[in-house]
Amino acid sequence: MADENLSDNEREELLRQWWRDNWAWIVGGVILGVGLLIGWNYWGSHKQRQAESAGQLYSDIEAAVAAGDATKAQEKLDALIGDFDSSAYAQQGRLLLAKSHVEAAKFAEAESLLRTVVDKSKDEELGAVAKLRLARLLIQDGKHDDAVKLLEPLTAGAFGAQAREIRGDALFAKGDAEGARAEYAAALAEADVQIDRQIVELKLQDVGGVVPASGAVQGTL
């Protein structure tokens, strides 16, 4: 090779020339890499601090609700929403305060919070929980068709059995025994369910359905 015929001085001069031609790129690359590393570490620390702050505010809401201090709970929720409205903690805070409102018979306030979770939650599970709870409030308010429509997207998912049961409650409340019977039967037919089977079986029997001893469900007389 040509380089093998060069003297040590010539090789050294070539190395110096290469450095003169490329030093700016090399130094710039090192600086950029260090800057990216520092920026990434800062961003990670920033996100961690945000998560900790949001978690603390949620804990404050829990404590206020447990103490029966609705005013303080609302203040902490407002602070959580103000700084971290896109976080799951904000949606969990709304769900928690909505439950507290229901227990205090403040149904309008609870409905407003639940609708916000339904509309804003990026977490599908939290959104589904909000729909189930909102549907129960709608039934209580006589909005049976709205409850049935709200839960339609959930009937084929992990919350299918619960959605079916609540839809059955809505249909029963509006006098549609046949529709309620079909929904209760569908709820009991789910393989992996999060419902009280004995209660749903009683509901099914109340609307004319039959639950054989074998556990198979007959939705009609």
Side-chain angles (χ1 to χ4, degrees):
M1 295 179 64
D3 286 352
E4 295 176 355
N5 297 321
L6 296 175
S7 66
D8 290 342
N9 289 337
E10 289 172 329
R11 290 194 183 95
E12 186 176 342
E13 180 58 33
L14 284 175
L15 182 58
R16 288 196 184 98
Q17 183 61 46
W18 180 86
W19 174 250
R20 285 193 293 269
D21 293 341
N22 296 281
W23 73 268
W25 293 101
I26 295 173
V27 173
V30 171
I31 293 174
L32 178 60
V34 172
L36 288 173
L37 180 59
I38 292 173
W40 178 259
N41 289 335
Y42 172 80
W43 177 248
S45 298
H46 174 67
K47 295 295 288 184
Q48 179 64 29
R49 288 194 299 272
Q50 282 192 318
E52 291 173 356
S53 297
Q56 183 58 56
L57 284 169
Y58 178 74
S59 295
D60 292 342
I61 296 171
E62 285 186 309
V65 168
D69 191 339
T71 300
K72 185 175 181 179
Q74 185 62 58
E75 289 175 353
K76 293 298 181 179
L77 178 61
D78 290 341
L80 179 58
I81 293 170
D83 293 334
F84 311 104
D85 194 25
S86 61
S87 71
Y89 281 117
Q91 311 315 324
Q92 291 173 332
R94 287 185 172 105
L95 287 175
L96 182 59
L97 194 54
K99 180 180 178 181
S100 178
H101 284 327
V102 169
E103 293 171 351
K106 297 179 179 179
F107 303 120
E109 291 88 337
E111 181 176 334
S112 177
L113 288 170
L114 291 173
R115 286 192 181 279
T116 301
V117 178
V118 170
D119 293 338
K120 285 194 171 188
S121 180
K122 297 177 182 178
D123 186 300
E124 291 185 4
E125 183 171 340
L126 290 178
V129 170
K131 284 185 177 182
L132 293 171
R133 296 181 183 180
L134 177 57
R136 291 193 182 280
L137 284 181
L138 291 173
I139 294 171
Q140 182 174 296
D141 200 28
K143 300 175 182 177
H144 309 123
D145 291 333
D146 289 344
V148 171
K149 183 178 180 180
L150 177 68
L151 297 181
E152 176 62 34
L154 300 182
T155 55
F159 294 89
Q162 295 177 69
R164 291 288 188 184
E165 179 187 359
I166 297 172
R167 281 164 59 95
D169 293 344
L171 293 170
F172 176 73
K174 67 176 288 187
D176 183 356
E178 182 178 354
R181 191 159 56 240
E183 293 292 349
Y184 293 144
L188 291 170
E190 294 283 345
D192 183 17
V193 299
Q194 297 180 4
I195 57 174
D196 188 321
R197 294 191 64 86
Q198 290 185 331
I199 289 179
V200 178
E201 287 172 0
L202 288 174
K203 289 179 179 180
L204 177 60
Q205 292 170 342
D206 284 344
V207 292
V210 178
V211 183
S214 62
V217 177
Q218 296 179 0
T220 57
L221 292 173

